[in-house]
């Protein structure tokens, strides 16, 4: 369940601290003491199931804040993922990675996902967990796709269907939202047991060297 999370948490720089943070209706952001900013999607629930287990304070270590990615208060987990990203997603963080093609970012991130799909998902079945895109947007991209969500929209599958769908898939794509609501851990381990390749995609995914 926590293997993927531990890869992120265990390799964080312990000297980095939190300089500031904010939460909005869709995104949370954390700024590190070195000036980098990490973002993460905010997942809303119908009711507050759990109280915050800590108080975010300026100057606290990012690694301490990030540990709450494993907690079940999803707003707390969103801030934790943003803290993880503030640590890893810094200028030059991809310089030591294997040769790769840089894709558009910022407001052009949708074109990045289109380019990714044109390169990786044209054949076979792709399963996406908690993507930022709805069925209408995904239908315009190449390849056959199925979407797993904890709160399904029209045309989506409940995330529990992953146990039946993943063994038949050619690849699984995890998003930051799936890290926040914990479906990533379950689906990652199921894909690993089934021999299905796993991709992580999105502006809210940590550029953790241990994954490269």
């Amino acid at each position: 369940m926590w293997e993927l999370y531990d890869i992120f948490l265990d390799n964080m720089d312990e000297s980095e601290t939190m300089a500031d943070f904010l939460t909005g209706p869709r995104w949370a952001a954390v700024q590190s003491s070195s000036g980098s900013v990490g973002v993460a999607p905010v997942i809303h629930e119908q009711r507050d199931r759990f109280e915050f287990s800590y108080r975010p304070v300026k100057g606290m270590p990012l690694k301490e804040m990030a540990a709450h990615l494993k907690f079940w208060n999803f707003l707390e987990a969103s801030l934790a993922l943003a803290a993880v990203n503030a640590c890893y997603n810094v200028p030059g963080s991809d310089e030591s990675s294997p040769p790769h093609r840089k894709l558009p970012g910022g407001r052009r991130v949708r074109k990045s996902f289109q380019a990714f799909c044109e390169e990786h998902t044209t054949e076979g079945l792709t399963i996406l967990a908690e993507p930022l895109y709805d069925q209408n947007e995904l239908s315009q991209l190449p390849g056959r796709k199925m979407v797993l969500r904890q709160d399904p929209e029209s045309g989506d599958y409940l995330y529990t269907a992953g146990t039946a769908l993943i063994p038949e898939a050619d690849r699984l794509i995890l998003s930051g939202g799936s890290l926040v609501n914990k479906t990533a851990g379950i689906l990652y381990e199921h894909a690993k047991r089934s021999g299905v390749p796993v991709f992580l995609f999105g502006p809210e995914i940590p550029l953790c060297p241990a994954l490269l």
Side-chain angles (χ1 to χ4, degrees), residues 54 94-95 102 106 108 112 121 126 134 159 163 165 171 185 191:
Y54 78 110
D94 62 344
E95 289 180 355
K102 291 192 174 182
R108 298 171 293 168
S112 294
T121 72
T126 301
D134 59 27
Y159 76 98
T163 56
L165 298 177
R171 64 199 63 84

Side-chain angles (χ1 to χ4, degrees), residues 149-171:
R149 295 188 193 274
Q150 196 169 64
D151 185 16
E153 301 172 3
S154 177
D156 296 341
Y157 291 83
L158 187 63
Y159 76 98
T160 51
T163 56
L165 298 177
I166 287 176
E168 307 299 324
D170 295 277
R171 64 199 63 84

Side-chain angles (χ1 to χ4, degrees), residues 59-119:
M60 71 183 304
L62 285 184
K63 190 167 185 176
E64 179 183 334
M65 193 175 186
H68 296 263
L69 184 56
K70 291 184 177 181
F71 284 52
W72 295 92
N73 178 317
F74 289 164
L75 180 56
E76 188 173 344
S78 293
L79 277 173
L81 180 58
V84 174
N85 284 324
C87 180
Y88 287 120
N89 297 359
V90 298
S93 58
D94 62 344
E95 289 180 355
S96 60
S97 64
H100 59 284
R101 179 164 60 94
K102 291 192 174 182
L103 299 173
R107 295 183 178 180
R108 298 171 293 168
V109 70
R110 276 181 168 76
K111 291 185 178 180
S112 294
F113 191 60
Q114 180 177 348
F116 173 85
C117 290
E118 289 172 351
E119 186 170 336

